[in-house]
Amino acid sequence: MRRIISLIATVLAVCLVVLGLACGDNPPNGPDKKIPEISSFIAQPQDIDPGSQTTLSWRTLRTDSLWLLPLDTILLPGENDSGSIAVNLEYPTTYSLVAYNTYGVDSASVSVTMFSAAAEIIDVAFFPLRVVADQTSTLSWKTIRADSLVIDQGVGRVDDPDLGNVIISPVQGAWYRVIAYSVYGNDTAMIWLTLSSRSAIEPLNGLYFKGIMEDSTTHLPMQFAVVDDSGHYLINQQIQLSLVAGDGSLDPRSILTDSTGVTEFTYGFTGNYNRALIRLNITGIPSVYADIRTDALVPGAYGQTQYILFDDTYEQVVAFNGQPASVDTYEGHSIMYVNYESTLGVVVMLYDRDQDRQLYDTSSVYGVIVNTSYQGQTNTTPPIGVGSSLADLRAVWGDPSRLYYEEPRPAIVIGYDSIFTTFYGHWEIGMTDTLVEEIHFIEPLIVK
């Protein structure tokens, strides 16, 4: 059918050229000598269903005869130079009307469409919409009434125009044009695929996490994302995990960002080490480190208490424990006291070496004091903490290296620095109940 229409249109074009040349020999138009004029040529309705009927109507002036294409029908002008004809159509068609008289020719066209039966793109999507140079994206589509489907950017014609997908390996960000074809009409959709560069591994809820011995659950999920240079989360990004410090269980050893661009992992404190430092790495961008600690009271070479280590900075102390109630200073002292006593039963001592009474994020921990409201204990048998007895201390560590009364009595000091060579501390024990009231950890606690 379309070949027939094309042939007739070609014949019409030739005829119009011939007629136009002939008209060139006609004398100039005078008051009574004018070429014909088609004042209107319409189809009603102009958009129909396949097999339905439309009416072609026209109005002309000074017409001797009319030629209707592609019906190849000669028509008389009709009464008042107007007329109409009803036609049934199976395919969209463009009709041409040519008007003749002795002095020349005029023509007009009207197209009858069938958009209700045209090809329609229901959905077209990239997943993911952002990829990096070594990744691919899947372009999927869904159409109805399509005879064929073509995608530009070198993809070409696809096998299944109705439903399918194709893998794209982009070399740059680009628009992709999807065209669904049908003899009744076409449809076009455009979709952009972004080519990104990885910029950073972004922690979504911090880098410091509180854990519990024999448990892989932290107080916050350890969630991370990979972002591009525009700050967008990238999906299907693999992050390698490695255990820098710790003797527990890291699961898994690599993680993949999900359809929202987020991933997470767990670490179980299954050993005796109460701290884990985990490196997250993707080649080509800076690594980040997740620091996970328990609340155990640990004297000795790898000591900690209230999630604090003796090589920590003030920034790390606040990251684990929040803002202190106060920071106390004393004239002429090189130590500042970060006070959590009312909430945690903890006072952290930090260096103030220049004695300017200013605390900085990089100020380092000198020691920690815990008092009667502190809940942490050692992982020993029996566990040692505030409230332990002198007998408990001797059961775990034997006789102390120092044992003496401190004024004003009834305080007593017990030192175990001879057993923990990098540890110095003292317990203040009341004379009547012989229970630990305070524990002082003083640097050096960690071998450096």
Side-chain angles (χ1 to χ4, degrees):
M1 180 67 181
R2 286 195 288 178
R3 292 181 179 178
I4 295 173
I5 293 171
S6 176
L7 177 61
I8 294 173
T10 303
V11 173
L12 173 61
V14 173
C15 291
L16 291 177
V17 171
V18 172
L19 289 171
L21 292 173
C23 289
D25 296 331
N26 290 337
N29 290 327
D32 300 319
K33 296 179 180 180
K34 294 184 178 180
I35 63 174
E37 178 183 344
I38 300 175
S39 56
S40 71
F41 181 44
I42 63 172
Q44 187 63 39
Q46 193 169 350
D47 184 72
I48 63 174
D49 294 328
S52 298
Q53 187 180 84
T54 187
T55 299
L56 304 174
S57 303
W58 58 87
R59 183 174 294 278
T60 66
L61 298 173
R62 301 174 299 279
T63 302
D64 293 336
S65 62
L66 297 168
W67 187 20
L68 181 62
L69 295 170
L71 295 180
D72 197 19
T73 300
I74 302 298
L75 304 169
L76 296 177
E79 186 178 354
N80 298 321
D81 285 344
S82 64
S84 64
I85 185 172
V87 291
N88 287 76
L89 299 179
E90 294 293 336
Y91 301 100
T93 304
T94 297
Y95 289 92
S96 296
L97 185 68
V98 185
Y100 301 92
N101 71 9
T102 304
Y103 300 102
V105 60
D106 191 16
S107 63
S109 297
V110 64
S111 294
V112 180
T113 57
M114 297 179 179
F115 289 128
S116 63
E120 182 179 352
I121 298 174
I122 302 300
D123 182 58
V124 59
F126 268 117
F127 185 80
L129 271 171
R130 290 177 174 272
V131 294
V132 295
D134 58 352
Q135 278 191 305
T136 61
S137 183
T138 300
L139 175 58
S140 60
W141 62 87
K142 181 180 180 181
T143 70
I144 55 175
R145 301 183 298 272
D147 296 328
S148 61
L149 187 126
V150 175
I151 304 170
D152 67 358
Q153 298 292 349
V155 178
R157 183 169 178 169
V158 302
D159 293 333
D160 186 350
D162 298 323
L163 181 68
N165 60 73
V166 63
I167 304 299
I168 304 294
S169 301
V171 295
Q172 63 182 9
W175 283 103
Y176 285 74
R177 180 184 288 108
V178 180
I179 307 174
Y181 291 95
S182 165
V183 294
Y184 300 106
N186 308 325
D187 194 13
T188 300
M190 301 284 289
I191 187 168
W192 175 263
L193 177 62
T194 299
L195 187 64
S196 296
S197 297
R198 298 183 188 95
S199 176
I201 300 172
E202 181 176 296
L204 301 184
N205 46 15
L207 290 170
Y208 303 98
F209 302 94
K210 300 174 184 178
I212 303 172
M213 287 300 293
E214 305 300 329
D215 197 337
S216 61
T217 302
T218 53
H219 75 300
L220 292 173
M222 294 184 286
Q223 294 183 335
F224 294 84
V226 180
V227 298
D228 65 10
D229 43 15
S230 298
H232 293 93
Y233 292 1
L234 299 175
I235 76 169
N236 296 333
Q237 299 295 301
Q238 190 168 54
I239 304 174
Q240 300 298 324
L241 304 178
S242 57
L243 192 59
V244 178
D247 57 2
S249 174
L250 178 61
D251 182 36
R253 290 293 176 148
S254 67
I255 49 179
L256 193 69
T257 57
D258 62 18
S259 59
T260 66
V262 176
T263 186
E264 63 182 52
F265 65 95
T266 62
Y267 175 83
F269 285 98
T270 57
N272 295 316
Y273 199 55
N274 290 271
R275 177 198 180 193
L277 188 64
I278 297 170
R279 180 191 184 206
L280 292 87
N281 176 65
I282 294 178
T283 302
I285 62 176
S287 298
V288 298
Y289 295 84
D291 197 344
I292 316 164
R293 304 177 186 180
T294 73
D295 191 21
L297 191 157
V298 184
Y302 298 99
Q304 71 185 68
T305 184
Q306 193 52 39
Y307 311 106
I308 301 168
L309 303 175
F310 286 82
D311 58 355
D312 277 348
T313 63
Y314 177 60
E315 181 181 26
Q316 290 172 294
V317 172
V318 172
F320 277 105
N321 297 293
Q323 293 295 330
S326 64
V327 177
D328 304 322
T329 61
Y330 297 93
E331 187 71 35
H333 282 216
S334 59
I335 300 295
M336 304 182 73
Y337 297 86
V338 179
N339 182 8
Y340 293 97
E341 193 165 6
S342 61
T343 55
L344 302 174
V346 174
V347 176
V348 183
M349 296 176 283
L350 290 100
Y351 282 113
D352 182 21
R353 289 186 172 88
D354 54 8
Q355 297 184 26
D356 63 354
R357 300 187 184 183
Q358 296 294 317
L359 199 55
Y360 305 98
D361 285 344
T362 55
S363 298
S364 58
V365 172
Y366 170 74
V368 179
I369 302 171
V370 298
N371 63 20
T372 52
S373 62
Y374 180 71
Q375 300 297 313
Q377 294 182 313
T378 64
N379 294 328
T380 58
T381 304
I384 302 297
V386 173
S388 295
S389 67
L390 179 56
D392 293 334
L393 302 181
R394 285 194 166 114
V396 175
W397 296 310
D399 290 330
S401 56
R402 290 175 292 115
L403 177 61
Y404 60 89
Y405 289 107
E406 184 177 74
E407 298 298 337
R409 297 191 180 193
I412 189 169
V413 176
I414 304 173
Y416 277 92
D417 41 71
S418 62
I419 297 177
F420 298 94
T421 57
T422 59
F423 167 80
Y424 168 79
H426 65 267
W427 284 261
E428 293 180 319
I429 301 180
M431 289 292 291
T432 58
D433 54 15
T434 64
L435 298 179
V436 173
E437 294 178 351
E438 284 191 358
I439 305 173
H440 292 213
F441 293 121
I442 306 297
E443 199 183 24
L445 183 61
I446 290 183
V447 177
K448 297 182 179 180

